[in-house]
Each structure stands twice: as structure tokens, then as C-alpha cells.
Amino acid sequence: SAVISQKPSRDICQRGTSLTIQCQVDSQVTMMFWYRQQPGQSLTLIATANQGSEATYESGFVIDKFPISRPNLTFSTLTVSNMSPEDSSIYLCSVDHRFGSGTRLTVV
Amino acid sequence: QQQVKQSPQSLIVQKGGISIINCAYENTAFDYFPWYQQFPGKGPALLIAIRPDVSEKKEGRFTISFNKSAKQFSLHIMDSQPGDSATYFCAASSFRNTGGFKTIFGAGTRLFVKA
């Protein structure tokens, strides 16, 4: 199974700024997924990132707020833009039903 | 129709006992049902998964029971250990007509195994 590496593992950011989260996979994959896990909650799919096409966003998530890049078959980034305290969550990259260790974001 | 309902919300089990977590779904298009274990500060780890053409799957102390007609599935943890104390999520996944697949997660169960 693929090894999924995410960074940063955690960050504390000022409101109004943006943070880009990186996800690296050790094998080529067609689909990469980005999830959000709010404190004490379950996981919610943000978007599906396919190489060579625009990401597909789930209801409630928009590209302007969560732009995603997928430059090749092993890498993707998720940016959380114009952050507010409500964006404080764990953001997780997923491949083949497996997850990276996540990025714990705190917005102050 | 896209929901996956998980119960109980929390569970306390004595060491050596059996932990049972239940999930129910509505959408018959779901065709893959994974269970995840998550420790604080970590990402969810895939524990065990089942497809709807199988009624039971066992891996070590972990067993999934699947009832397709009732649209229910459950996780049994035999001989529960304090190290099993974690949050467990059930999930259901289906392919999409537009390509790819989507996974819906249950709300989670916090398991505490008393020593």
C-alpha cells in the first residue's frame, strides 16, 4: 500500500492568511482526496484531485477557498485561503482508502 | 441517503471483553465498507474492510459482520485491550458516474478499554 506523507504536520496561522498543505505519495496514483476533520468530529470530503484536470469539490467547499493543485501522479497541494478560526481543523490527504498523518491547523 | 449512522457514540469495555460498534446505511450503491482506527493526533488508519458480497471478514481480533438485506454492518473487537482505546469510524464508499469514488464516514465511536 502507498506511503502518504503530509506536511506541515501542524501550524498556527493568523486569520486572513493562507496555508498550503503538501501531500506526497510514494507511488503513482490516479486519484488523491482531501478531507477535513473538525475538532472531535468525523471526516468530510473536501475534494477529489485528479492529475491533469481540475479538482472536483464537494457541496459546501469552493475552489476560491480551497484551491488544489495536482501537478503529477505522486503529489498534490491543498491551500486554505483567507483563513478564519472556523478553519481550525485537521486536513488529511487520502489515497486508496488510506490516510496521511494529517495537518493540524489552528487559526488565531 | 448518503448518511452512514454509527453507534454507540462512546463505549467502555473491560479488558478481555468484546467491543461491538454498529453502522447502518441507506444507499445500496455503496460497495466497499472500511473501518478506521484513529488515535489522538494521528490520521485514521485503515483497520479492516469488507465488500457486500461477503457476510463476515476476520483479521486477527477484528471481525466485520455484514448484513446486506438490513443494510447494516458491525465491527467486533475480541479480547479488547487497553491499547485498542481509540476512536473508530465506519465508512461506506461507492463509485461515481463521473469517475472516482466517494466515501462517507460515520460519526465515530470513542472506545475506552479498562485495564
Side-chain angles (χ1 to χ4, degrees):
Chain A
S1 55
V3 176
I4 305 167
S5 302
Q6 251 185 267
K7 60 180 180 181
S9 59
R10 58 177 62 227
D11 207 341
I12 301 173
C13 300
Q14 295 290 326
R15 67 175 66 201
T17 63
S18 299
L19 176 72
T20 296
I21 302 166
Q22 299 179 8
C23 181
Q24 179 76 51
V25 187
D26 68 346
S27 59
Q28 294 184 342
V29 295
T30 304
M31 289 180 290
M32 297 176 74
F33 302 86
W34 287 99
Y35 285 82
R36 180 176 73 182
Q37 186 175 27
Q38 294 177 300
Q41 302 296 313
S42 186
L43 290 83
T44 301
L45 180 63
I46 297 172
T48 302
N50 291 327
Q51 196 270 336
S53 63
E54 283 198 8
T56 303
Y57 290 82
E58 298 300 312
S59 175
F61 298 96
V62 295
I63 188 171
D64 289 347
K65 177 66 176 177
F66 298 101
I68 287 171
S69 78
R70 184 76 202 276
N72 57 54
L73 290 173
T74 64
F75 187 79
S76 178
T77 67
L78 170 76
T79 298
V80 186
S81 303
N82 188 25
M83 290 184 284
S84 67
E86 292 70 35
D87 294 320
S88 297
S89 294
I90 301 172
Y91 292 86
L92 295 145
C93 173
S94 176
V95 168
D96 291 337
H97 299 287
R98 297 178 187 274
F99 288 85
S101 55
T103 296
R104 183 179 294 270
L105 170 62
T106 301
V107 183
V108 297
Chain B
Q1 197 176 20
Q2 285 291 317
Q3 282 187 325
V4 176
K5 296 182 179 179
Q6 182 172 348
S7 63
Q9 187 175 7
S10 62
L11 181 61
I12 300 174
V13 174
Q14 291 285 346
K15 178 182 176 182
I18 302 174
S19 303
I20 302 173
I21 304 171
N22 300 299
C23 284
Y25 64 97
E26 289 293 326
N27 187 353
T28 56
F30 289 134
D31 60 1
Y32 184 73
F33 299 87
W35 283 90
Y36 294 88
Q37 179 189 58
Q38 186 176 30
F39 293 106
K42 303 291 186 183
L46 180 61
L47 198 57
I48 187 173
I50 198 168
R51 295 201 180 272
D53 54 347
V54 177
S55 61
E56 184 175 284
K57 183 175 182 180
K58 183 176 181 180
E59 289 185 1
R61 296 185 294 110
F62 300 93
T63 299
I64 300 178
S65 297
F66 190 87
N67 186 330
K68 187 174 181 179
S69 60
K71 292 186 277 188
Q72 295 174 349
F73 58 111
S74 60
L75 176 69
H76 292 63
I77 306 174
M78 313 300 287
D79 187 27
S80 299
Q81 299 296 313
D84 296 329
S85 298
T87 299
Y88 292 81
F89 294 96
C90 65
S93 185
S94 63
F95 282 98
R96 305 171 111 160
N97 293 334
T98 53
F101 58 90
K102 181 173 181 178
T103 303
I104 305 295
F105 285 79
T109 297
R110 287 193 170 186
L111 171 65
F112 180 70
V113 182
K114 296 172 67 174

